[in-house]
Amino acid sequence: MSPQHLARAVPPASGDPRRGIVRTDAALAAPELAEVVARRGRAAVRTAVRAAQDRARQGEIAPDEVVAAARQALEDQRAATEVFNATGVVLHTNLGRAQLGPDAVDALVAASGCTDVELDLASGVRARRGRQTLDALSRRVPDAAGVLVVNNGAAALVLALTALAQGREVLVSRGEMVEIGDGFRIPDLLESTGVRLREVGTTNRTRLADYADAVTERTAAILKVHPSNFRVEGFTSEATITELATLGLPVVADTGSGLLAPDPALPDEPDAATALRAGATVVTCSGDKLLGGPQAGLVFGDADTVERLRRHPLQRALRADKLALAALAATLDAATTPTSVAIHADEAELRARAEQLASLVEGQLPVEVVPSAGRVGGGAAPGLPLPGWALALPESYADRLRLASPPVVARVEAGRTLVDVRCLPPDRLGEVAGAIREVASRA
Ligand SMILES: *Cc1c(COP(=O)(O)O)cnc(C)c1O
């Protein structure tokens, strides 16, 4: 054992009254911690107290700061910290993609106890899991006779190809061998399920004939992936779903971003209804991108194919939880979503919002309202500009705003911190201004 390992094996600290470090039982009884003991239990608080006693021994904190340090450490163990998205990127993967709307939030709370997720209350017998959500999906995409919800977009794609092509070959264009983020690549994901991918065509041009020439008796399906997070420009072409459907093989279309019907503001984004009408056998996409709902994977198709996916053993490992199902149903039935509102926001309205934010911090520091280029983000509509407005602050503010309460995640551009107002809820600008004032008062 190295000396460091030996040092770790020393029994945990237990107070040291001679050095002014509070004893563990006395700390647990302190009023500042008693309420935390009631909520979190003795064991968790004791662990935090011992860690704080250790820090006091090492001289990292003063001996009389043990209780406060333990309390802070326990507060820092929050499940998640709400942050304000001032990046101008509507679907920010690091910030959890889509913000849920009020109906979806209510649905989450309502579903947090016991629910009828798999029970028909009228007859008292077991019912199709999440049928309300499936019905809502069918209402929104009438072209799909079959619908299914799983954990996320990647799960939807894996399930579709495993059920349709395990042990066989799937054709995919070289221009659609996409990496979806954090080093995860669609080809690797699919090969991990026992599907063999056969690449056809070239990076910039793939024609129907490239697919037709590659078909053999081993071919089980054709995969069409929407290159959602990059764009190839210039001398390019890809075979369409309509063309691919003529080859007589199942066509799986991974549209990715979750648009259910065409959106004129997002002309290059594929949508589920159009893909099905063009002849796709199965369409897969995410629930927390352009759809604006919780993390989920959606599957659309004909009734028989979707039933085949639903009966596949893997489906049970990928099924959506009751909270996601509830939030998704409410999102689908809502008139709009925060995601859609942010993408379609009117530029003049954004400017007025930025000016309102400026007026709330004015006097404290020099502020300037400036144009700011937002993005859809989240692997959707790459290159589509979203002209908006921001509050410009000194560059050094970005780091400190992230540590303010509540945290504000802004964007640094050309030596300035831009607080882009596109994704800030208009009724919460006061809280954002409060965070900015907090940072300014310490600057
Ligand atoms: C985002 C995306 C995925 C992955 O979806 P998740 O919901 O993140 O699992 C797969 N394919 C495409 C084309 C995507 O855009």
Side-chain angles (χ1 to χ4, degrees), residues 97 152-154 180 186 225-226 228 254 256 286 288-289 379:
R97 289 192 184 154
N152 55 26
I180 52 181
I186 297 236
V225 183
H226 174 55
S228 53
D254 176 20
S286 297
D288 56 353
K289 293 182 181 171

Side-chain angles (χ1 to χ4, degrees), residues 93 97 151-157 178 180 186 189 224-229 254-258 269 284-289 295-297 378-380:
T93 300
R97 289 192 184 154
N151 234 323
N152 55 26
L157 184 57
V178 179
I180 52 181
I186 297 236
L189 187 72
K224 181 98 184 121
V225 183
H226 174 55
S228 53
N229 50 8
D254 176 20
T255 60
S257 51
E269 279 299 307
T284 64
C285 63
S286 297
D288 56 353
K289 293 182 181 171
Q295 181 186 303

Side-chain angles (χ1 to χ4, degrees), residues 354-380:
E355 273 159 6
Q356 193 194 340
L357 182 61
S359 72
L360 293 171
V361 299
E362 209 117 60
Q364 200 102 20
L365 69 161
V367 290
E368 201 187 337
V369 169
V370 297
S372 168
R375 278 189 295 123
V376 175

Side-chain angles (χ1 to χ4, degrees), residues 21 39 53 77 173 183 189 221 240 250 297 374 404 413:
I21 300 176
R39 264 190 301 121
Q53 288 165 333
Q77 289 168 6
S173 163
L189 187 72
T240 63
E413 204 174 273

Side-chain angles (χ1 to χ4, degrees), residues 163-233:
L164 299 179
Q166 192 164 40
R168 300 180 64 200
E169 236 171 51
V170 169
L171 307 183
V172 64
S173 163
R174 286 203 167 82
E176 299 178 2
M177 303 285 276
V178 179
E179 174 168 319
I180 52 181
D182 195 24
F184 287 97
R185 296 176 168 177
I186 297 236
D188 300 341
L189 187 72
L190 298 180
E191 293 205 320
S192 74
T193 68
V195 170
R196 275 196 307 279
L197 283 189
R198 173 130 185 221
E199 298 170 41
V200 303
T202 63
T203 306
N204 59 328
R205 286 177 81 85
T206 303
R207 299 176 185 80
L208 180 62
D210 296 318
Y211 291 89
D213 290 348
V215 174
T216 68
E217 73 282 358
R218 292 185 303 277
T219 313
I222 296 173
L223 171 63
K224 181 98 184 121
V225 183
H226 174 55
S228 53
N229 50 8
F230 69 98
R231 251 187 356 186
V232 183
E233 282 178 51

Side-chain angles (χ1 to χ4, degrees), residues 233-285:
E233 282 178 51
F235 188 55
T236 66
S237 71
E238 287 286 348
T240 63
I241 293 174
T242 312
E243 289 172 332
L244 295 175
T246 63
L247 295 178
L249 286 159
V251 177
V252 175
D254 176 20
T255 60
S257 51
L259 216 51
L260 301 183
D263 180 343
L266 303 168
D268 298 330
E269 279 299 307
D271 66 277
T274 304
L276 287 169
R277 275 185 216 163
T281 316
V282 174
V283 176
T284 64
C285 63

